[in-house]
Structure formats: C-alpha cells, structure tokens
Amino acid sequence: MCHDPGEATHYNIKNCNACHYPHYPTEMEFGEINVSACLSCHPAQGKEMEANPSEHAGLNCTECHTVHREWNNCADCHTPHAEEMTHADCLACHKPHSPKAVNYADGIPNNYCACCHENVGNALASSKKAHAEMSCIECHESEHMAVTQCDGCHDADLHGTTMHERYPLCLDCHNNPHALAE
Ligand code: HEC
Ligand code: HEC
Ligand code: HEC
Ligand code: HEC
Ligand code: HEC
Ligand code: HEC
Ligand code: HEC
Ligand code: HEC
Ligand code: HEC
C-alpha cells in the first residue's frame, strides 16, 4: 500500500517479509537474500556478469558481499599467484564481476608477471642489455597477451632501408626481446 510497485523495481519483488520484518525492516540476514533482490537495485552488476560469463556469475552476490556495502577479500577464496599480492593488487588486473578479462593498471611490478612466466622473468632480469631496466607492461600494455612490436618504440628504418629489406626480422640478429644478443 505504501511502496507502490510502479515507484521502484525493488517494490516489484514478491514476498516482502521473507527479508524484511515489518517492525525492524532494515535488519536482515544478508546471507539468505538471493540475486534477484540485489539486481532490483543494482542492475548494472548483473548486466556486467551476463555480458562477461565467468565462474563468478554462478555465485550468489552474498558470497562476496556478506554485509551490505562491503566485500570480502579475494584471498578468502583464492591463493594469490605471488605471496606478496594484496587484495588491491588483484583488482589491478581483475574486475570482480568480470574476472576473466585481465587488464593491467599502471605500476604492475615485473614479479607479478614472472610468478607465472618464470623463464621470461629470469631471462630479462639476467640480461645485460637495456631492456632489463624496463617493466613488462611497457611492452605488454593494458591487456594480457598484448605485445608491442619493435617498431612501436624503435625506428623501423634505423639500420637503413637496404639492410632491413634484406633482413626483415629484427630478432634474427637481436635474438629475443627479453635477452637481446650481446
Ligand atoms: C530478497 C530480499 C528482499 C525482498 C524480498 C524485499 N527486499 Fe526490500 N530490501 C532488501 C535489501 C537488501 C535492501 C537494502 C537494505 C539496505 O539498504 O541496507 C532493501 C531495502 C528496502 C527499502 C529501503 C530502501 C529503498 O530504496 O526503498 C524498502 C522501502 C524496501 N526494501 C521495501 C521492500 C518491499 C515493499 C518489498 C516487497 C515488495 C521488499 N522490500 C522486498 C531486500 C529485500
Ligand atoms: C533497495 C535497494 C537495494 C537493495 C535491494 C540492495 N542494495 Fe546495495 N546499495 C543500495 C544503495 C542505495 C547503495 C548506496 C549506493 C551509493 O552509495 O552510491 C548500495 C550500496 C551497495 C554496495 C557498495 C557500493 C559502493 O560503491 O560502495 C554494494 C557492494 C552493494 N550495495 C551490494 C548489494 C548486494 C550484494 C545486494 C543484495 C544482497 C544489495 N546491494 C541489495 C541499494 C540496494
Ligand atoms: C566467495 C569466494 C570467492 C571470492 C571472495 C572470490 N572468488 Fe574468484 N572464484 C570463486 C570460485 C568458486 C571460482 C570458480 C572455481 C575456481 O576457479 O576456483 C572463482 C573463479 C575465479 C576466476 C576464474 C574465472 C573463470 O571463469 O574461469 C578468477 C580470475 C577469479 N575467481 C578471481 C577473483 C578475484 C580477482 C577476486 C577478488 C576480487 C575473487 N576471485 C574473489 C570464488 C571466489
Ligand atoms: C567474487 C566476488 C563477488 C561477487 C560474486 C559479486 N561481487 Fe560485487 N563486488 C566485489 C568486489 C571485490 C567489489 C569491490 C570492487 C572495487 O573495489 O573496485 C564489488 C563491488 C560491487 C558494487 C559497487 C560498484 C561496483 O561495481 O564496483 C556493487 C553495487 C556490487 N558489487 C554488487 C554486486 C551484485 C549485485 C552482485 C551479484 C549479482 C555481486 N556484486 C557479486 C565482489 C563480488
Ligand atoms: C599482473 C596481473 C594479475 C594480478 C595482479 C592477479 N592476477 Fe589472477 N590472473 C592473471 C592472469 C593473466 C590470469 C590468467 C592465466 C591464464 O590464462 O591461465 C589469472 C588467472 C586467475 C585465476 C584463474 C585460475 C588460475 O589461477 O589460473 C584466479 C582464481 C585468479 N587469477 C585470482 C587472482 C587473485 C586472487 C589475485 C590477487 C591475489 C590475482 N589473481 C592477481 C593476472 C593477474
Ligand atoms: C596467473 C598466471 C599469469 C599471470 C599472473 C600472467 N600471465 Fe601471461 N600468460 C599466462 C598463461 C597461462 C599464458 C598462456 C595462455 C595461452 O597460451 O593460451 C600467458 C600468455 C601470455 C602472453 C602471450 C604469449 C604468447 O605466446 O603469445 C604474454 C605476452 C603474457 N602472457 C604476458 C604477461 C604479462 C606482461 C603479465 C604481467 C602483467 C602476465 N602475462 C601475467 C599466465 C599468466
Ligand atoms: C622491450 C620490450 C619487452 C619487455 C620489456 C618484455 N617483453 Fe615480453 N615480449 C616482447 C615481444 C616483442 C614479444 C614477442 C616476441 C616474438 O614475437 O617472438 C614478447 C613475448 C613475450 C611472451 C611470449 C613468448 C615467450 O617468450 O614466452 C611472454 C610470455 C612475455 N613476453 C612475457 C613478458 C614478461 C613476463 C616480461 C617482464 C618480466 C616481458 N615480457 C617484458 C617484448 C617485451
Ligand atoms: C616499449 C618500447 C620498446 C619496445 C617495444 C622495444 N624496445 Fe628496444 N629499447 C627500448 C628502450 C627504452 C631502450 C633503451 C634506450 C634506447 O636504446 O633507445 C631499448 C634498447 C634496445 C636495444 C639496445 C640495447 C642496449 O643495451 O644497448 C636494442 C638492440 C633493442 N632495443 C632492440 C629491440 C628489439 C629487437 C625489439 C623488438 C623485439 C625492441 N627493442 C622492442 C624500448 C623498446
Ligand atoms: C642483420 C642484423 C640486424 C638486424 C636485422 C637488426 N639489427 Fe639492430 N643492430 C644490429 C647490430 C649489429 C647492432 C649493433 C650492436 C651493438 O651495438 O651492440 C644493432 C643495434 C641496434 C640498436 C641499438 C643501437 C642503436 O642504433 O640505437 C637498436 C635499438 C636496434 N638495433 C634495433 C633494431 C630493430 C628495431 C630492428 C628491426 C627493425 C633491428 N635492430 C634489426 C643488427 C641488426
């Protein structure tokens, strides 16, 4: 009578007193609330999960949001790739509602890549050439598996046109971007 269904999507859910007690309506067992109630007020997160299918889409919102307006740490359920990774670090690469798309924020340290790419990490760290001073994400920018080619930073004509026409592949002479020929 007071909360007209025409007024808010939330007032369209049935069975109001399954969640609200009439005399103290804001005290709720959050853990027992289902996804449809959350989505009646937060449709954007539902759309994001639907557009980016992942194992998280199969979880109830309340498994991560046990208290309204708060969230659990990623490490409550997962083992970090590297021991020193914090919850904020996880969010620098993964979004909680679409965790499979890995996009890098600025400042990801090399050991956060090298924990999975050990060989590359070691090769770069032990190289005596200038690339060893660089961070992974300068050449592998913004999204996982992206690669900036040599001519993204170096003049593709730097040794002269004739030479590059005869030997078109930089790595034939320079060996490997992570371990440049000495
Ligand atoms: C499945 C659980 C659930 C059901 C069913 C439910 N609600 Fe809610 N309701 C919530 C949650 C969660 C909140 C947010 C509480 C908070 O802000 O801490 C909320 C908040 C509210 C609020 C205060 C905030 C606002 O924006 O309106 C009102 C009023 C409300 N509900 C009315 C209703 C009515 C009326 C019904 C039935 C038509 C209903 N609720 C059914 C879970 C539910
Ligand atoms: C009746 C509407 C209503 C319902 C139902 C509701 N919420 Fe909310 N929720 C809100 C409002 C309003 C805010 C405060 C938004 C703001 O500060 O911009 C909020 C805030 C949040 C935040 C924090 C947002 C931030 O930016 O800090 C989270 C997380 C959240 N809700 C999760 C949930 C989950 C999970 C459920 C279901 C179990 C739920 N909410 C049910 C209205 C609702
Ligand atoms: C309440 C437990 C829980 C929390 C908290 C949680 N996850 Fe998950 N996550 C799961 C489960 C369950 C799966 C599916 C099984 C698995 O891969 O371990 C999963 C899967 C994933 C996947 C693989 C997705 C796929 O579809 O293959 C990624 C990536 C992920 N989680 C990242 C995170 C990040 C980042 C956080 C913090 C923002 C986080 N998780 C918080 C339970 C959780
Ligand atoms: C795997 C854990 C997990 C699940 C499942 C999950 N969330 Fe979240 N959610 C988070 C984390 C962590 C944050 C904080 C993100 C940040 O700080 O950038 C968050 C943030 C939010 C916010 C704040 C705004 C935003 O998008 O950052 C809302 C609202 C929200 N979640 C609602 C929901 C709803 C509704 C569901 C279910 C459809 C849901 N969440 C399922 C972990 C989860
Ligand atoms: C530097 C970026 C980066 C950071 C930081 C990061 N991840 Fe990941 N994560 C990835 C990549 C890339 C994959 C995908 C690997 C693949 O394709 O198998 C992944 C995959 C996952 C998976 C899927 C299963 C697996 O292990 O392959 C889970 C779960 C996960 N991450 C959780 C986390 C958690 C929790 C944190 C924080 C403690 C975190 N990630 C921090 C990049 C990152
Ligand atoms: C959780 C482990 C994990 C983390 C963290 C991770 N990767 Fe990966 N990465 C993988 C896996 C597994 C593959 C192979 C995927 C495939 O071949 O399908 C891969 C593939 C790649 C590739 C493409 C390889 C090719 O053959 O084309 C690049 C480039 C790459 N990663 C760079 C990075 C960078 C840079 C970072 C840090 C910002 C990073 N990765 C963090 C697991 C990870
Ligand atoms: C100077 C630029 C540069 C830097 C710095 C760099 N990479 Fe690469 N990386 C490349 C290029 C270019 C390729 C593609 C090589 C090819 O096509 O053969 C590549 C390929 C890869 C591959 C796939 C092939 C392989 O060798 O396994 C992985 C994984 C990778 N890089 C990870 C990393 C990680 C992790 C770091 C930091 C520790 C890093 N890269 C730093 C330029 C760079
Ligand atoms: C994101 C930018 C970037 C990319 C991509 C990149 N480089 Fe470099 N490279 C640099 C920087 C910065 C230096 C150090 C300053 C300079 O010599 O310009 C450098 C130096 C070098 C040097 C001289 C090394 C030394 O110690 O004197 C060689 C050779 C080289 N790069 C080859 C390559 C090749 C081959 C590729 C492709 C596989 C490549 N670079 C990709 C940025 C890049
Ligand atoms: C036929 C072999 C060969 C090819 C192909 C080649 N280089 Fe070189 N490059 C060299 C040699 C030899 C040097 C000088 C090595 C030194 O000084 O240690 C050099 C030096 C460089 C340097 C550092 C010196 C400078 O002039 O700044 C860069 C950067 C470089 N090459 C980039 C590239 C790039 C990018 C490509 C592909 C477009 C490429 N090279 C292709 C042989 C080659």
Side-chain angles (χ1 to χ4, degrees), residues 19-93:
C19 299
H20 299 288
Y21 300 98
H23 303 152
Y24 39 96
T26 59
E27 279 171 43
M28 280 175 277
E29 286 295 334
F30 216 60
E32 283 161 21
I33 290 169
N34 67 29
V35 175
S36 66
C38 311
L39 296 184
S40 69
C41 294
H42 299 292
Q45 284 69 27
K47 289 205 187 91
E48 185 183 349
M49 285 184 156
E50 210 175 279
N52 302 279
S54 80
E55 299 280 356
H56 282 183
L59 302 177
N60 192 334
C61 316
T62 56
E63 292 195 48
C64 295
H65 300 288
T66 38
V67 174
H68 198 203
R69 297 182 179 81
E70 290 179 15
W71 42 77
N72 298 345
N73 276 337
C74 308
D76 290 353
C77 300
H78 296 291
T79 310
H81 311 302
E83 226 173 84
E84 59 277 32
M85 276 183 187
T86 64
H87 177 72
D89 292 328
C90 310
L91 293 174
C93 286

